[in-house]
Amino acid sequence: VVADLAGVSKTTVSHVISGNRPVSAATRRKVERVMSELGFEPNYFARAMQSNRSNSVALIVQDLTNPYYPALARGLQGALAQQRDLDQHGHVVMLFDAGAGDVLVDVFVTEMIRRRVDGVVAAAALSADALSRLRAAGTVMVAVGAATRGSDIDWVSADDASIADDATTYLIDQGHTSIACIQGPRGSEPGASRARGWERAIRRAGLDGRPEYETTADWTTHGGAEAAAGLFALANRPSAVFCANDQMAIGALNAAISVGLAVPGDVALVGVDDIDAAALVRPALTTVHVPAEEIGRAAGELLARRLADRSPSPSRHVLISHELITRASA
Amino acid sequence: VVADLAGVSKTTVSHVISGNRPVSAATRRKVERVMSELGFEPNYFARAMQSNRSNSVALIVQDLTNPYYPALARGLQGALAQQRDLDQHGHVVMLFDAGAGDVLVDVFVTEMIRRRVDGVVAAAALSADALSRLRAAGTVMVAVGAATRGSDIDWVSADDASIADDATTYLIDQGHTSIACIQGPRGSEPGASRARGWERAIRRAGLDGRPEYETTADWTTHGGAEAAAGLFALANRPSAVFCANDQMAIGALNAAISVGLAVPGDVALVGVDDIDAAALVRPALTTVHVPAEEIGRAAGELLARRLADRSPSPSRHVLISHELITRASA
DNA sequence: CTGAAAGCGCTTACAG
DNA sequence: CTGAAAGCGCTTACAG
């Protein structure tokens, strides 16, 4: 520590920086002057090595090219920046995009542990193995979406079952009786919950859920278009379809247009998420607004709280409310 | 270093890990066995402190909610992952979204320097001060877009002037003579170059560039809609408008629809970028395809090359080609 | 081909 | 309120 050109020991310098023990006002001032004159910055790695805190958090998202996730990332970054103003802890976010290839996520987790990220917000499905490695490393976790919900960790999520239920119920209220769905993969969240919500609404209304009406795609526009094409080719074509996200709904919309079906005249379509494109597409998409940025912010706040107070406390959950946005497509 | 339970010195262990000096095959094997049995991982911070290499790169983007940037981020991550397979250097990317607030970027740069990122790819405008701090810190930089092009650093960019020129020329070829534009901010790139390209095309065709036809917005859908509304209210309404990115073009499209103008009948519209939404909007947007993911990949490769070979070599530039995509809006 | 030792820049008991 | 010293886990001359 070169800053003991202020005539004090490095012990003292260390303490004026960390504030870990009282320092007389006089010496504190002296040290601070010298530091700012020299433009002194404590070495990040040396500090991190001692404290075992990296002041970094990892964000792992399912698919960065789905506009939902960038919004979430921004919310997270915003919450972290606010925290920085409050307590000087500049948390930086390392981004991991699982959408670039699924095999990657285990590599990602290794990298997170190696760099001793203080926290990870998981907005992608993690393997049980990845989860337990993270836990063993003592990393604070907050899950986004219900992906990892069963366990005792903090999460923030929308109520995916209700979202699907509300959207489907809206279609029912519009008088539709033959309602199909394009679900996401049911093996993971939010696919499973949204599928459940849809079934619940269908059953409650006493409609018969024809098995051929239940299709699955991979959350992408392309996948949605394919699934929709299958649906539209059915002898008993549904009059409405619930799509578990907007990307798939937009795909379905394009599929409808290309086979000459009018939306909502021939088929009504509803999506989920309310990404920007939902309002821009014609006809504009009726959808369920899920506030991605707010979810990201909430995740950041949950994380900050855990990091500030490491004592084991019961896991916290925040449920973010959604809202049906009625536009032209249904 | 606990791994000298293999009966060798930590010097030797260090060398089998780094490969910095020959080790006999026998001891190497022994050490490696012990390491894998113990699941030993060298301490990231201690290594980084010695080597002054963090194995991290920073990506700073102008606006993460513009779909162009997530695609770019994915390309970058892909190139880095590939590099990891090649030479074991697992570079992780720290994400900084300048769109969350412009004052942030200096804080970001401080954070990058503090964490001694090996490289930064700058897909946002950096202040001269930020640039020189980065340079002083010896950080490898690659600029994306022409933002920082004048200087002697590596960059990858599309030819923004040609992009604008091509798009405008297309409108001219369609017979339009009153062509307006919605440019991005001209104080920075790619705003300046795209404005230049537009002027070039207009002048070449001998059209008179009415000053009221030249408008500026902030790259967002909202900004585009406002600028377009102004244009559409003009006594001599233009018959076509070149928009310097798709987001603004989509905004213009919505503005046209809401005042009852037919696209392309009453106004033709062309954008730039070819984000996903461009194809999904109705009428689908005629635009210039700029391959964001490829640009990100190229940036990653440039960076990897510099990091692998630190000898001062002339700066490298890669110009990515674009392509006019004719759809329905013009 | 291998080791003992010094050093990187910090933090934190332990003493005063 | 302040310091001298040990230690964190690595790397790298310097010697053999």
Side-chain angles (χ1 to χ4, degrees), chain B residues 82-124:
Chain B
Q82 197 170 327
Q83 212 57 31
R84 167 167 22 226
D85 295 342
L86 262 54
D87 65 2
Q88 312 291 30
H89 281 266
H91 276 278
V92 145
V93 2
M94 311 210 262
L95 177 70
F96 298 92
D97 174 16
D102 254 4
V103 270
L104 282 180
V105 357
D106 283 312
V107 175
F108 286 166
V109 169
T110 301
E111 213 62 70
M112 291 174 200
I113 292 176
R114 175 176 297 153
R115 286 153 198 265
R116 294 188 180 40
V117 294
D118 298 330
V120 1
V121 357

Side-chain angles (χ1 to χ4, degrees), chain A residues 32-268:
Chain A
E32 277 169 349
R33 251 222 16 246
V34 175
M35 287 204 308
S36 72
E37 269 173 14
L38 267 53
F40 175 77
E41 277 260 5
N43 182 289
Y44 169 76
F45 295 125
R47 299 191 85 180
M49 185 165 68
Q50 299 302 328
S51 59
N52 239 324
R53 302 188 85 262
S54 61
N55 280 297
S56 305
V57 310
L59 169 62
I60 176 165
V61 299
Q62 193 75 265
D63 175 10
L64 195 63
T65 63
N66 178 339
Y68 177 83
Y69 293 102
L72 192 148
R74 172 170 290 183
L76 175 66
Q77 199 191 259
L80 258 26
Q82 198 172 328
Q83 211 57 31
R84 168 168 21 228
D85 295 342
L86 263 54
D87 65 2
Q88 313 290 29
H89 281 267
H91 276 279
V92 145
V93 3
M94 310 209 265
L95 177 70
F96 298 91
D97 174 16
D102 254 4
V103 269
L104 282 179
V105 355
D106 282 313
V107 176
F108 286 165
V109 169
T110 301
E111 214 62 68
M112 291 175 201
I113 293 175
R114 175 176 299 154
R115 286 153 199 265
R116 294 189 178 42
V117 295
D118 298 330
V120 0
V121 358
L126 296 187
S127 66
D129 174 57
L131 262 175
S132 66
R133 286 165 62 206
L134 246 14
R135 193 179 304 262
T139 313
V140 169
M141 285 224 13
V142 1
V144 167
T148 327
R149 204 149 141 182
S151 33
D152 54 339
I153 66 179
D154 290 355
W155 53 255
V156 21
S157 176
D159 184 345
D160 289 300
S162 296
I163 285 172
D165 191 334
D166 291 358
T168 308
T169 300
Y170 171 76
L171 290 172
I172 293 168
D173 290 348
Q174 297 293 301
H176 292 283
T177 54
S178 56
I179 304 176
C181 65
I182 303 178
Q183 300 290 353
R186 292 165 193 244
S188 58
E189 290 297 344
S193 295
R194 292 188 185 168
R196 226 172 334 108
W198 177 75
E199 279 155 16
R200 192 167 77 195
I202 291 294
R203 208 167 330 110
R204 184 177 338 102
L207 300 179
D208 54 331
R210 299 170 188 270
E212 68 270 32
Y213 278 2
E214 303 192 28
T215 67
T216 294
D218 62 355
W219 301 117
T220 68
T221 307
H222 187 74
E226 276 188 356
L231 253 18
F232 297 157
L234 254 31
N236 48 345
R237 179 162 49 72
S239 71
V241 8
F242 162 72
C243 306
N245 81 350
D246 286 345
Q247 305 255 95
M248 298 195 295
I250 290 172
L253 184 62
N254 287 337
I257 289 170
S258 63
V259 299
L261 291 175
V263 177
D266 297 324
V267 243

Side-chain angles (χ1 to χ4, degrees), chain B residues 257-273:
Chain B
I257 289 170
S258 63
V259 299
L261 291 175
V263 177
D266 298 322
V267 245
L269 254 26
V270 3
V272 175
D273 279 351

Side-chain angles (χ1 to χ4, degrees), chain B residues 9 11-12 21-22 24 27 50:
Chain B
S9 71
T11 304
T12 300
R21 88 178 180 193
S24 82
T27 51
Q50 299 302 329

Side-chain angles (χ1 to χ4, degrees), chain A residues 274-323:
Chain A
D274 195 23
I275 62 176
D276 285 350
L280 302 175
V281 114
R282 295 300 129 163
L285 206 60
T286 289
T287 187
V288 180
H289 180 73
V290 180
E293 191 164 342
E294 189 181 333
I295 289 176
R297 203 176 313 121
E301 282 158 7
L302 241 34
L303 205 55
R305 237 157 114 168
R306 279 284 173 209
L307 292 175
D309 173 17
R310 248 84 171 20
S311 64
S313 52
S315 60
R316 266 185 277 268
H317 308 307
V318 2
L319 204 56
I320 299 284
S321 61
H322 58 273
E323 184 188 2

